[in-house]
Amino acid sequence: MERRGFIKKGLSWLAYIFGAAALAYPVFLFMSFRKIRKKTVVFHPDEQLAAANFKEGIYLIKKGTDFNALSARCTHLGCTLNFDAVSQQFKCPCHGSLFAISGKWVSGPARKDLMSIPVETEANGDMEVEFEI
Amino acid sequence: MSDTGKIINKISSYMPRLGLSALILCLASGIVLVFYYRPMGNVFQNVEEITTLVPYGWFFRQLHYGSGQLFTILMLLHTLDHFLRKRYRIYLFKEWVLLIFSLCLCFFVLFTGFVLKGDKEGFFAGQIFMNILEAIPFIGGSVSKLFIVPGDSFFFLPYLYHCFFLPILIIYLIRDHIREWFPNQRFLLIGTAGLFLYAIFVRPAIDIPPEASVAMIQGPWFFLGVQTLLKFLPVLLAGLIIPGLFVGCLLILPVIKTDSPTRDHRGRIAYVGENGLHYLLVVALCFYGFLTLRAAIWGP
Ligand code: HEM
Ligand code: FES
């Protein structure tokens, strides 16, 4: 008798758990869905003059006549990096990570290098950087 | 009872009542702010307009800030008072869990409020919070989206949590714990007068524009310790496991409650266990207090 009661209770618990999970799963998927969006940042010729040019979360780095783009997001926890023209390094204001102008991690808790993003040159001299957010 | 004992008892019964007055003012001023605040578009500009353009905006903002801080700080002290006097013993486990959970939610409201400012500090705090959640293995990416998402609607979910979900949930959870919802008029009057004076005479801290370049950014005061830990420890450990363990230990306190070092072997173990845990938590709290103070003085 006791055993039967136990099994019955166990089964009804299982039914509850499965029922709740069956309801929670679509709710969770709905709530945690997000469409990936693309963002384009355009650096006009007058915004390409410094060694590191910042615009909307991107650093456009000038090396001679070459350009490359780096994400300004710190690879630790996502704060926006400052560029220090004296030391030619990126510094994070949140937990102090340092990165070289090439994007390589130098010190601090971040560990990973900065994300580099392809740059496209337009006919009118604009530099276009497209990335996902 | 000694005189100091009486004074301490008085303070510990006044604190929650004053806290409740602060909560009422905070909810009222929050409802006023919601009429101008918009969590989309240029949030920083919107908040600056509240401070500089909207009639009495500066007053309601400061009143909301002060009452929110006061409420949470008084709830923290109230809990600390119960903890240090080992009064968790009089609670059922379920009650204690719900109350500690509510206290955590209060800090979460404070935190989302900090994000809602929309200035550089707020934006970075939100960014860090999102990235810590994303660091949870396997489910982090999905879990973080329940609270905050990057892009145009960055402030929208924190806004929903701050203005609707959390206040309602907190009030629901503490409904049985509060004996008297409208604290006697004296407390309401003192609380209101004090906070009005504060809002009129204390200038708010200057908000840092999101595009400004600042050498060091500080999180909200209660997370300064975590900010320091994040410098030296892996993200998951500093951001989730250590705070989680602390709250977890606090939660299980009433499970092993004992009244005295009793008779049998098990009773003695429970007694040592409870006291051990209690003092471990005291040491952890002192250490966190030290980290916070250090970060407040010398920077995190
Ligand atoms: C437990 C209750 C609450 C607490 C502890 C709290 C606390 C805070 C704090 C500390 C801020 C940041 C203020 C600043 O730094 O300038 C804030 C902002 C804000 N809160 Fe609340 N709040 C609470 C409830 C509410 C409610 C119920 C609403 C609306 C219905 C609300 C609406 C707002 C708005 C719109 C802001 C952004 C404007 C600003 O930054 O001044 N709050 N809150
Ligand atoms: S976010 Fe840059 S060091 Fe932590």
Side-chain angles (χ1 to χ4, degrees), chain B residues 28 36 50 56 74 80 109 116 149 153 177 185 206 232 272:
Chain B
Y36 199 85
I50 295 182
Y56 296 101
L74 286 173
L80 221 71
V109 187
L116 287 191
V149 290
S153 34
H177 179 69
Q185 284 177 356
I206 291 173
F232 305 106
V272 173

Side-chain angles (χ1 to χ4, degrees), chain B residues 23 26-27 29-34 37 47 50 60-62 64-69 71-72 106 109-118 159 162-164 166-167 170 204 207:
Chain B
L23 174 64
C26 180
L27 293 176
S29 53
I31 290 169
V32 175
L33 286 174
V34 149
Y37 185 85
V47 173
I50 295 182
F60 288 114
R61 242 197 107 190
Q62 193 68 342
H64 187 68
Y65 172 81
S67 54
Q69 296 283 356
F71 166 64
T72 310
C106 288
V109 187
L110 219 52
F111 177 72
T112 46
F114 187 85
V115 175
L116 287 191
K117 283 190 301 172
Y159 170 76
H162 183 87
C163 300
F164 306 102
L166 294 172
I170 291 172
D207 304 318

Side-chain angles (χ1 to χ4, degrees), chain A residues 57-130:
Chain A
I58 300 290
Y59 275 108
L60 183 75
I61 312 291
K62 186 172 152 182
K63 218 159 98 192
T65 50
D66 282 350
F67 285 93
N68 69 307
L70 292 171
S71 160
R73 270 177 55 120
C74 178
T75 51
H76 182 223
L77 291 168
C79 293
T80 311
L81 299 163
N82 298 322
F83 183 69
D84 181 37
V86 178
S87 63
Q88 293 280 301
Q89 281 182 327
F90 295 105
K91 281 187 182 172
C92 181
C94 292
H95 314 101
S97 288
L98 282 178
F99 301 85
I101 193 166
S102 63
K104 267 219 156 336
W105 169 72
V106 175
S107 67
R111 311 265 154 208
K112 276 192 253 155
D113 298 341
L114 298 182
M115 192 171 76
S116 116
I117 307 168
V119 187
E120 279 192 32
T121 315
E122 303 294 306
N124 62 357
D126 283 355
M127 297 274 171
E128 249 185 47
V129 183
E130 193 185 57

Side-chain angles (χ1 to χ4, degrees), chain B residues 196-214:
Chain B
F196 268 51
L197 286 177
Y198 168 83
I200 291 171
F201 291 110
V202 180
R203 294 289 102 216
I206 291 173
D207 304 318
I208 308 165
E211 57 282 353
S213 172
V214 183

Side-chain angles (χ1 to χ4, degrees), chain A residues 32 34 73 77-78 82 93-94, chain B residues 127 131 145 150 213-214 217 227:
Chain A
S32 61
R34 193 178 159 268
R73 270 177 55 120
L77 291 168
N82 298 322
C94 292
Chain B
Q127 198 78 18
N131 280 277
K145 292 195 192 77
S213 172
V214 183
I217 290 283
Q227 194 179 0

